[in-house]
Structure formats: structure tokens, C-alpha cells
Amino acid sequence: DAKTTQPPSMDCAEGRAANLPCNHSTISGNEYVYWYRQIHSQGPQYIIHGLKNNETNEMASLIITEDRKSSTLILPHATLRDTAVYYCIALSTDKLIFGTGTRLQVFP
Amino acid sequence: EAQVTQNPRYLITVTGKKLTVTCSQNMNHEYMSWYRQDPGLGLRQIYYSMNVEVTDKGDVPEGYKVSRKEKRNFPLILESPSPNQTSLYFCASSLSGGLPTTDTQYFGPGTRLTVL
């Protein structure tokens, strides 16, 4: 599985868009990009995943660059409840490998 | 409600006293897995199971046992717990019995274990 690199922390004002970057320059053609988040010490929660195309669901949007070496998770209107650690994972085998993620702090 | 449940949620025990942490899912998922989470080390997989009676070691299986006698249950057994097994444990499940590459994992609420 490709290694991913994320900034350790980010801040975002409530109501604004939160853009969380992820670098996965060694990703291979069959590796999906997954995003999970973990609020405080709760179980990780799935957000979104994609392979090549940009994806959107009720929680977020995922923008993957054309060369697939990086991606951005977008929370369009961040709320205080979005404060969490966000994990970007490049996955091709049968297990998720969580890195240290990005701690997103949403402030009022 | 679709969910993964774990019991107990909190447990304090002493070295060497056998314990079992239960995990159950009500989604008819084939794949189940156990992780532990430690500060600075992130989430690491302990064991996983592709289906009933099929289990495999993850990255940190030492000191743990699992069983998968029924599809819905995947208990984690610590035969002789030691202080280095103090951690936050998560059970997870997903639909696919094969590669969950396009399949999301659902996590339980976690079990905080302290071994004295």
C-alpha cells in the first residue's frame, strides 16, 4: 500500500470549507484513496473513497489530481462536530493502514 | 440500526487474568477485524477474519487469540494479559469476504483496556 502524507493539524472557521490535503505520490493504479475520521476516541468513521474520478456524497467531496499523486478532502460547510482526526489511506490489499492523520479543529 | 457493538467498553484488570472482549455486528458482514490504538502509533491491526472459521494474523497478533464460530461474532481473547496490552481496542466489520478495496469498514465504539 502506498504511503500517505498529511499535515498534522489544521484549523477551520465554522461555516467555512475545510480542505484537507493528502499526498500519495507512490500510489499505484489499483489503489483507492479512502478517507476516514475519528472523533475524540470513538471508532473511525468512513467518509468517502475514490479511484480516479472526483467523488461527492452527503458528507464530503474528494478531489483527486489527474496524476493521482495527491487528493483533497473537502468539507463544504464545517461545523464544530467536524472537529476530528482525518485519515487518508491508499488501499489495495485487505487491510486499512492508518497513519497519524490530520487533526482538524473547527472553531466558532 | 446497523452497528458493531463491543463489550465491555471499559475494563481494568490485572496481569495474567484471562479476559475476552466481545464484538458483534448485525449487518451480515463477512469480514471482521480487530485493531488496537496507541498514542503515536495509530491504529494497528491485530487479527482479521474473512469469514466463519477463517482467521488470519494482522500486524500485531502476539498475545491475542480470536475465533469466528458465527458470522456475527468475533471475540478477542487475551489469555494472559500484560501491561503492554493496555490500549484502546476497536472491532470493525465490512461486507466483503474478499478484498475490501471498494468496501467500507464499520467500527465499533471501542474498548479501553487497562492491565495493571
Side-chain angles (χ1 to χ4, degrees):
Chain A
D1 295 325
K3 178 179 170 59
T4 61
T5 305
Q6 300 176 252
S9 64
M10 293 182 65
D11 290 337
C12 178
E14 190 177 19
R16 304 297 289 268
N19 298 287
L20 289 87
C22 178
N23 183 290
H24 32 79
S25 57
T26 60
I27 197 170
S28 62
N30 64 345
E31 286 182 316
Y32 285 76
V33 179
Y34 272 76
W35 284 83
Y36 281 75
R37 73 180 183 184
Q38 187 174 23
I39 297 173
H40 195 41
S41 292
Q42 297 178 22
Q45 176 191 25
Y46 165 80
I47 302 173
I48 200 168
H49 74 279
L51 183 62
K52 295 180 183 178
N53 300 321
N54 298 336
E55 303 287 346
T56 296
N57 63 20
E58 64 279 3
M59 289 183 70
S61 295
L62 175 61
I63 309 297
I64 302 175
T65 58
E66 195 169 336
D67 62 9
R68 303 212 323 122
K69 294 186 176 183
S70 65
S71 60
T72 301
L73 178 75
I74 301 172
L75 308 178
H77 304 287
T79 71
L80 298 178
R81 287 179 294 180
D82 291 322
T83 292
V85 178
Y86 288 78
Y87 297 98
C88 169
I89 302 161
L91 179 68
S92 66
T93 57
D94 57 359
K95 59 183 177 182
L96 297 171
I97 300 175
F98 289 81
T100 52
T102 295
R103 183 172 298 277
L104 175 68
Q105 179 69 52
V106 181
F107 57 91
Chain B
E1 179 189 353
Q3 60 183 349
V4 178
T5 57
Q6 296 177 225
N7 282 293
R9 296 289 313 281
Y10 302 90
L11 178 61
I12 300 174
T13 189
V14 295
T15 299
K17 186 177 181 182
K18 180 179 178 180
L19 67 92
T20 299
V21 184
T22 65
C23 173
S24 182
Q25 49 91 6
N26 62 358
M27 296 169 278
N28 202 37
H29 284 171
E30 292 186 347
Y31 184 95
M32 297 186 75
S33 180
W34 276 102
Y35 297 84
R36 61 178 288 175
Q37 186 172 32
D38 303 289
L41 297 177
L43 278 138
R44 295 177 292 168
Q45 191 179 53
I46 304 171
Y47 269 95
Y48 64 96
S49 169
M50 294 285 201
N51 212 325
V52 175
E53 302 291 1
V54 179
T55 62
D56 275 299
K57 296 178 180 178
D59 296 317
V60 288
E62 295 77 22
Y64 304 94
K65 285 176 57 177
V66 292
S67 69
R68 188 89 182 276
K69 293 186 172 63
E70 316 165 85
K71 185 181 270 194
R72 64 183 293 127
N73 296 321
F74 190 45
L76 180 69
I77 303 156
L78 284 72
E79 295 267 1
S80 183
S82 62
N84 65 11
Q85 293 179 297
T86 293
S87 187
L88 179 59
Y89 291 87
F90 291 103
C91 179
S93 74
S94 65
L95 181 62
S96 173
L99 296 178
T101 55
T102 57
D103 186 15
T104 64
Q105 288 200 24
Y106 295 81
F107 285 80
T111 295
R112 189 169 292 280
L113 172 66
T114 301
V115 183
L116 301 175

